[in-house]
Amino acid sequence: MWIAIVVVYFVGACALAALLLLPAFRESLVQRITQWARQVAGAQQSAQRAATRNARQGYAQAASSSRWVQRNAIPLSIALALLALPPIIVFSLRALHTLEAYDDTTTAQPDSVIATLLQGEQLVPPPPLPPEVFTTAEVELVRPKLSTADRRWDALDADFRQRLLLVYRLMREEHGYEMVLIEGYRSPERQNLLASLGAHVTNAAAWQSYHQHGLAADSAFLRNGKLVISERDPWAAKGYELYGEVAQRVGLTWGGRWQNADLGHVELRKPIASRPKVGA
């Protein structure tokens, strides 16, 4: 540390002595500083001239573009109208949108055993549960408005109903889970009502869900006579995972694989000719 200080002091003293005692060194240093200052000033002036020139060119180009737009105002207006027409039509018809394009790539094809079961006996829906099962405070917290949901099995598409009942049977026989239908067919009015509650309930408006066609259902688990919906329950979380696997085995699409996961939701994606007839 002290050696560095001594060296700096020595160099500084020599430089000062040279400036005071050597006129030639002093004049050379002054010339170099002056030359450097002129170069800096010249560079600044060149930059200013270039900026002025670019600004003039830009103004000229803007003026030329403005004149071109004025001369071609009518063709440009027509072109913009044609470009805007498709989005306007799509936006105005959004209420008539029904469902995303039919796509079975996310649905596993049933294996031979499942196919045999689907072609065999016609499964019978279980007897309805007491209404109070669906009206507890815990259920309402997880699933708002569930007490007014439609749980009629005969309101579902016949093919979808058999597949869902087979899922329930396999879940009970293979994994010991008792499944409960908590909502099946959903009217357009109810769909809009649920959509108004927020994305945490549903992102789909009326006719944007397979529920309106009797091709979707939401299910949960029954444990000791109580409905278990929340996946925060480890037992239910495991059940939903198994439920998704079984649903895909019978050819259904499981909502648990979506970006906004809906673990209890399954649907049968197939071309829709018309909405199935529902009971009174």
Side-chain angles (χ1 to χ4, degrees), residues 150-163:
D150 192 328
R151 286 180 280 275
R152 294 171 299 163
W153 285 91
D154 61 354
L156 300 178
D157 174 88
D159 184 15
F160 173 64
R161 179 172 61 244
Q162 284 301 306
R163 292 172 188 264

Side-chain angles (χ1 to χ4, degrees), residues 2-35:
W2 285 105
I3 295 176
I5 294 175
V6 170
V7 171
V8 171
Y9 176 78
F10 177 76
V11 172
C14 290
L16 181 59
L19 288 173
L20 295 175
L21 301 177
L22 300 174
F25 175 77
R26 185 169 58 250
E27 292 176 1
S28 175
L29 182 60
V30 170
Q31 289 178 355
R32 290 179 180 276
I33 294 175
T34 302
Q35 184 179 6

Side-chain angles (χ1 to χ4, degrees), residues 237-272:
K238 180 61 177 178
Y240 281 125
E241 180 180 347
L242 297 170
Y243 175 60
E245 295 174 358
V246 174
Q248 291 183 108
R249 284 171 56 194
V250 304
L252 300 179
T253 296
W254 178 47
R257 301 197 185 280
W258 297 343
Q259 183 175 0
N260 295 325
D262 190 352
L263 300 178
H265 179 97
V266 294
E267 58 191 35
L268 178 59
R269 294 187 174 185
K270 67 177 184 179
I272 299 170

Side-chain angles (χ1 to χ4, degrees), residues 129-149 151 180-183 190 194 197 200-201 218-231 233 236 240:
L129 294 173
E132 54 268 22
V133 173
F134 305 93
T135 57
T136 65
E138 294 83 0
V139 170
E140 184 67 20
L141 182 64
V142 178
R143 190 65 181 259
K145 306 292 185 180
L146 186 61
S147 59
T148 56
R151 286 180 280 275
V180 177
L181 176 66
I182 62 175
E183 183 164 15
R190 177 173 171 81
L194 296 180
L197 299 179
H200 66 287
V201 178
D218 298 329
S219 303
F221 307 102
L222 191 67
R223 182 177 61 188
N224 299 327
K226 292 185 178 181
L227 194 63
V228 182
I229 299 178
S230 176
E231 68 275 12
D233 185 305
Y240 281 125

Side-chain angles (χ1 to χ4, degrees), residues 187-204:
S187 69
E189 294 76 17
R190 177 173 171 81
Q191 187 70 47
N192 280 333
L193 172 64
L194 296 180
S196 69
L197 299 179
H200 66 287
V201 178
T202 180
N203 286 318

Side-chain angles (χ1 to χ4, degrees), residues 22-247:
L22 300 174
F25 175 77
R26 185 169 58 250
E27 292 176 1
S28 175
L29 182 60
V30 170
Q31 289 178 355
R32 290 179 180 276
I33 294 175
T34 302
Q35 184 179 6
W36 176 79
R38 288 175 179 174
Q39 291 176 348
V40 172
Q44 290 178 346
Q45 291 176 358
S46 297
Q48 290 177 354
R49 287 195 296 269
T52 302
R53 184 169 60 254
N54 291 336
R56 290 174 179 173
Q57 291 177 350
Y59 177 77
Q61 291 176 353
S64 176
S65 299
S66 177
R67 289 192 296 270
W68 183 86
V69 170
Q70 292 175 358
R71 288 195 305 269
N72 299 276
I74 295 177
L76 282 175
S77 299
I78 295 175
L80 289 175
L82 291 175
L83 290 173
L85 186 60
I88 292 174
I89 293 175
V90 172
F91 182 79
S92 62
L93 296 179
R94 68 192 188 281
L96 300 179
H97 172 70
T98 54
L99 297 165
E100 60 188 1
Y102 171 65
D103 178 14
D104 62 358
T105 57
T106 59
T107 304
Q109 295 300 318
D111 56 37
S112 58
V113 175
I114 297 299
T116 301
L117 290 173
L118 288 173
Q119 295 173 1
E121 62 177 310
Q122 292 296 301
L123 300 177
V124 178
L129 294 173
E132 54 268 22
V133 173
F134 305 93
T135 57
T136 65
E138 294 83 0
V139 170
E140 184 67 20
L141 182 64
V142 178
R143 190 65 181 259
K145 306 292 185 180
L146 186 61
S147 59
T148 56
D150 192 328
R151 286 180 280 275
R152 294 171 299 163
W153 285 91
D154 61 354
L156 300 178
D157 174 88
D159 184 15
F160 173 64
R161 179 172 61 244
Q162 284 301 306
R163 292 172 188 264
L164 186 60
L165 287 170
L166 181 55
V167 170
Y168 283 19
R169 173 178 170 179
L170 295 175
M171 284 292 294
R172 180 175 60 253
E173 294 178 354
E174 295 181 358
H175 305 294
Y177 281 87
E178 193 69 33
M179 303 293 301
V180 177
L181 176 66
I182 62 175
E183 183 164 15
Y185 169 75
R186 186 182 295 161
S187 69
E189 294 76 17
R190 177 173 171 81
Q191 187 70 47
N192 280 333
L193 172 64
L194 296 180
S196 69
L197 299 179
H200 66 287
V201 178
T202 180
N203 286 318
W207 301 115
Q208 295 178 344
S209 169
Y210 281 89
H211 279 286
Q212 273 83 81
H213 300 273
L215 290 167
D218 298 329
S219 303
F221 307 102
L222 191 67
R223 182 177 61 188
N224 299 327
K226 292 185 178 181
L227 194 63
V228 182
I229 299 178
S230 176
E231 68 275 12
R232 294 182 179 180
D233 185 305
W235 175 82
K238 180 61 177 178
Y240 281 125
E241 180 180 347
L242 297 170
Y243 175 60
E245 295 174 358
V246 174

